[in-house]
C-alpha cells in the first residue's frame, strides 16, 4: 500500500467508546519524523519504534505509526501530504510557521499538560511561537562552538584557541604555513549556508533580525563580517577551498580526517571526531573583538495537525515523548541538546555528558532562526543560493546582503 493510501486509511479510523470491543484498534496516530542517525543501524526509526511500543503498552486504546525520512525529503513529504488533504497527526520537521499561519495546527496548550509545556527551555518555547502562541514544540536542539584540532595547532606552534577574528586569521596563517589543507573550513555551499551565515552575523554583533523581528540582513555589522571573511580569510587562501563549493557534511568529514584546523560545529561533530581519534577542543565562537555576542541555536520542531481530530490522543502521546527519561535518551543517542529544563539539568549533572556541557550552558542565551516568520523558508533558500559567491574573488558582500534584504522586505510586506 502506498504511504498516501495508508494515511488515507488511517484517517478513516475513529475513536470508539470506552469499554467497546475494539480495544487497541481505537485510534492510530500517524507521525512523520526526520532521521537523525548517521547509518541504518542507528537511524531514528529504531528510536521511534521502541518509543511507540512503550507508549502503546501503557495506552492500549492508541496505536502510533511512525514513518522516518531523511532531512532531504521529510519537509517536502509533509508538505505534499498536507496539500493532498492527508495531513499526518504529527510531524517532526524543520519549520512550522506556514502551517500555523494557515490555522492547520493545534497550539501547544491545546495538547500538552501544564507541567510538560512549562518544562520546555524558555528560549526554545519562545522560538516556537507564531504571533505569541506556541505551535512549534522543540524537538532536538543544538548550539554552535568553534572546534579546533589540537594536534595541528601544536604542530603550528599555536598554544591557545582563537578568541577573536584576528586570532582566527593569525592561527589560520600558521596552519597554512604548516601545510594544513583547510586552515579554516567555511562551508557556504548549498547544504546549510543559512547556518554558517548566521554564525558570522552573530559573531560580528548582527543577525538576521532585530529585537522586534524585523529583518536586518544588510546591517553594517553583517556587511562588515562578510567583508572581513572575503578579504581576510577567503582572499588570503586560508579556507583551502572555495566556500561556495564546500558543504557542512564535507567540512565535518575533513575535520575528522585531520585535514581541517578549525571550523564552527555542533555537538554531533564530537562523536564523529572521537570515532576517528581526533584530539579536539571547543570554545565559544570568537567575535570581531573578543567573544561573540551570542551563539546560534538550532531547534527542529514537532507539530500536530488538526485534520485528523485526535487532539486528546496526540496530547497524551506528546506528554510521553517529552518525559525527562525519553528526552534525555534521545538527546544522548543522537548528540543533541535536550529541549526541556528537567532533561537539561539531568545532563548537566551527569559527567557522562561532560563534553556537552559547554554547548548546553549556551542554550538559554542562544539566538535562533526567525522560524516564526512565514517568509523565512524563502529567505533561507535565497541565502543558500547567494552567500557562498559573496565571499569569492568577484563577490560583493554588501550588494548580496542588500539584495537578500530587499527580497525579505518584499516577502514580509506581501505577508501582511
Amino acid at each position: 500500500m502506498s504511504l498516501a493510501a495508508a494515511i488515507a486509511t488511517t484517517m478513516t479510523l475513529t475513536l470508539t467508546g470506552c469499554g467497546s470491543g475494539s480495544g487497541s484498534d481505537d485510534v492510530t496516530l500517524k507521525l512523520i519524523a526526520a532521521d537523525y542517525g548517521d547509518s541504518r543501524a542507528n537511524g531514528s526509526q529504531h528510536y521511534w519504534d521502541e518509543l511507540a511500543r512503550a507508549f502503546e503498552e501503557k495506552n492500549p486504546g492508541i496505536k502510533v505509526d511512525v514513518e522516518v525520512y531523511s532531512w532531504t525529503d521529510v519537509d517536502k513529504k509533509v508538505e505534499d501530504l498536507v496539500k493532498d488533504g492527508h495531513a499526518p497527526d504529527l510531524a517532526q520537521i524543520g519549520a512550522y510557521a506556514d502551517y500555523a499561519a494557515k490555522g492547520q495546527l493545534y497550539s501547544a496548550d491545546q495538547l500538552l499538560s501544564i507541567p510538560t509545556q512549562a518544562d520546555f527551555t524558555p528560549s526554545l518555547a519562545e522560538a516556537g511561537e507564531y504571533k505569541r502562541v506556541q505551535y512549534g514544540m522543540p524537538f532536538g536542539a543544538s548550539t554552535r562552538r568553534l572546534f579546533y584540532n589540537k594536534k595541528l595547532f601544536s604542530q603550528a606552534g599555536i598554544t591557545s584557541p582563537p578568541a577573536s577574528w584576528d586570532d582566527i586569521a593569525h592561527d589560520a596563517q600558521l596552519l597554512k604555513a604548516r601545510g594544513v589543507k583547510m586552515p579554516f573550513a567555511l562551508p557556504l555551499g548549498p547544504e546549510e549556508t543559512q547556518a554558517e551565515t548566521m554564525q558570522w552575523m552573530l559573531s560580528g554583533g548582527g543577525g538576521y533580525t532585530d529585537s522586534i523581528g524585523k529583518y536586518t540582513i544588510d546591517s553594517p555589522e553583517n556587511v562588515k563580517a562578510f567583508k572581513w571573511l572575503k578579504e581576510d580569510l577567503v582572499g588570503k587562501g586560508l579556507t583551502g577551498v572555495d566556500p561556495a563549493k564546500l558543504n557542512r557534511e564535507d567540512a565535518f568529514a575533513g575535520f575528522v580526517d585531520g585535514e581541517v584546523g578549525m571550523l564552527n560545529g555542533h555537538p554531533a561533530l564530537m562523536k564523529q571526531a572521537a570515532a576517528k581519534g581526533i584530539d579536539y577542543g571547543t570554545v565559544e565562537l570568537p567575535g570581531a573583538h573578543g567573544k561573540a555576542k551570542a551563539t546560534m541555536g538550532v531547534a527542529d520542531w514537532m507539530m500536530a495537525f488538526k485534520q485528523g481530530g485526535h487532539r486528546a490522543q496526540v496530547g497524551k502521546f506528546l506528554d510521553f515523548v517529552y518525559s525527562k527519561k525519553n528526552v534525555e535518551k534521545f538527546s544522548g543517542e543522537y548528540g543533541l541538546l535536550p529541549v526541556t529544563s528537567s532533561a537539561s539539568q539531568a545532563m548537566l549533572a551527569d559527567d557522562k555528558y561532560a563534553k556537552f556541557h559547554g554547548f548546553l550552558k549556551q542554550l538559554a542565551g542562544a539566538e535562533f532562526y526567525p522560524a516564526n516568520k512565514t517568509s523565512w523558508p524563502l529567505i533561507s533558500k535565497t541565502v543558500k543560493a547567494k552567500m557562498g559567491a559573496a565571499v569569492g574573488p568577484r563577490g560583493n558582500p554588501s550588494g548580496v546582503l542588500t539584495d537578500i534584504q530587499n527580497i525579505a522586505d518584499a516577502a514580509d510586506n506581501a505577508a501582511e
Side-chain angles (χ1 to χ4, degrees):
M1 182 184 289
S2 71
L3 177 59
I7 292 175
T9 300
T10 294
M11 294 306 169
T12 66
L13 295 173
T14 56
L15 180 61
T16 59
C18 294
S20 66
S22 59
S24 63
D25 294 325
D26 287 348
V27 161
T28 298
L29 301 178
K30 188 68 181 181
L31 166 61
I32 304 292
D35 195 354
Y36 290 86
D38 53 20
S39 68
R40 183 179 292 272
N42 75 341
S44 295
Q45 189 74 53
H46 298 293
Y47 173 83
W48 283 114
D49 287 348
E50 185 178 326
L51 189 76
R53 299 299 84 81
F55 173 77
E56 289 168 359
E57 285 179 13
K58 294 184 176 182
N59 299 273
I62 310 170
K63 281 188 172 294
V64 183
D65 182 15
V66 186
E67 295 272 0
V68 173
Y69 292 87
S70 73
W71 276 108
T72 307
D73 301 324
V74 69
D75 288 280
K76 183 67 163 54
K77 173 59 65 175
V78 172
E79 181 185 339
D80 289 346
L81 288 170
V82 173
K83 282 181 179 176
D84 291 343
H86 300 306
D89 294 287
L90 290 150
Q92 184 266 300
I93 52 177
Y96 64 86
D98 265 353
Y99 301 121
K102 293 172 184 173
Q104 295 170 322
L105 302 179
Y106 289 115
S107 60
D109 62 359
Q110 291 176 305
L111 299 163
L112 303 173
S113 67
I114 291 172
T116 298
Q117 189 176 4
D119 197 25
F120 287 130
T121 300
S123 59
L124 291 169
E126 185 178 338
E129 293 179 355
Y130 174 74
K131 294 189 174 178
R132 300 190 180 278
V133 177
Q134 186 182 359
Y135 294 94
M137 291 159 280
F139 190 87
S142 67
T143 56
R144 299 297 194 264
R145 289 169 71 84
L146 184 134
F147 283 70
Y148 62 98
N149 183 311
K150 290 184 176 180
K151 179 180 178 181
L152 296 180
F153 266 50
S154 177
Q155 290 173 345
I158 305 168
T159 57
S160 61
S164 68
W165 289 355
D166 284 346
D167 291 344
I168 287 175
H170 176 264
D171 294 349
Q173 286 282 11
L174 294 175
L175 290 164
K176 181 182 178 182
R178 285 287 303 180
V180 175
K181 185 176 179 180
M182 281 186 271
F184 194 104
L186 185 67
L188 291 173
E191 181 190 357
E192 206 189 31
T193 321
Q194 81 284 4
E196 190 72 18
T197 295
M198 184 172 176
Q199 289 166 78
W200 287 100
M201 287 177 169
L202 292 174
S203 72
Y208 281 119
T209 59
D210 62 17
S211 59
I212 60 170
K214 187 180 186 308
Y215 282 115
T216 53
I217 294 166
D218 63 349
S219 69
E221 294 85 357
N222 292 344
V223 171
K224 178 182 176 182
F226 281 87
K227 281 186 174 178
W228 182 85
L229 284 173
K230 173 180 164 58
E231 295 167 6
D232 291 83
L233 211 62
V234 182
K236 294 180 179 177
L238 301 179
T239 59
V241 298
D242 179 1
K245 296 177 181 176
L246 182 66
N247 281 325
R248 184 195 68 182
E249 184 178 352
D250 298 322
F252 280 17
F255 187 77
V256 303
D257 285 341
E259 297 177 340
V260 171
M262 48 186 158
L263 80 170
N264 297 328
H266 56 60
L269 180 55
M270 296 190 294
K271 183 178 178 181
Q272 294 175 241
K276 287 288 193 80
I278 297 295
D279 187 13
Y280 68 90
T282 74
V283 292
E284 293 184 50
L285 299 183
H289 304 293
K291 197 167 59 176
K293 74 163 188 174
T295 187
M296 184 183 80
V298 174
D300 304 318
W301 302 102
M302 179 75 77
M303 62 213 70
F305 288 89
K306 293 178 178 178
Q307 184 182 340
H310 297 144
R311 181 174 68 87
Q313 295 82 5
V314 167
K316 188 173 286 190
F317 178 61
L318 289 176
D319 279 341
F320 184 77
V321 168
Y322 285 108
S323 69
K324 182 177 77 169
K325 182 182 84 170
N326 287 330
V327 172
E328 186 179 356
K329 179 181 178 183
F330 178 83
S331 303
E333 193 166 325
Y334 293 105
L336 294 164
L337 303 180
V339 297
T340 62
S341 297
S342 60
S344 295
Q345 291 304 315
M347 188 173 274
L348 283 170
D350 191 338
D351 289 343
K352 179 173 70 174
Y353 298 114
K355 290 189 174 182
F356 286 83
H357 291 174
F359 292 90
L360 192 50
K361 288 173 182 175
Q362 297 179 157
L363 187 58
E367 296 197 14
F368 297 84
Y369 295 136
N372 60 334
K373 295 170 76 70
T374 56
S375 56
W376 171 243
L378 170 64
I379 304 314
S380 176
K381 182 179 178 181
T382 306
V383 169
K384 287 181 179 183
K386 292 179 176 286
M387 286 314 300
V391 299
R394 297 181 180 83
N396 176 5
S398 178
V400 169
L401 290 168
T402 298
D403 286 347
I404 300 172
Q405 178 72 43
N406 291 337
I407 292 169
D409 287 341
D412 268 4
N413 290 335
E416 290 177 356

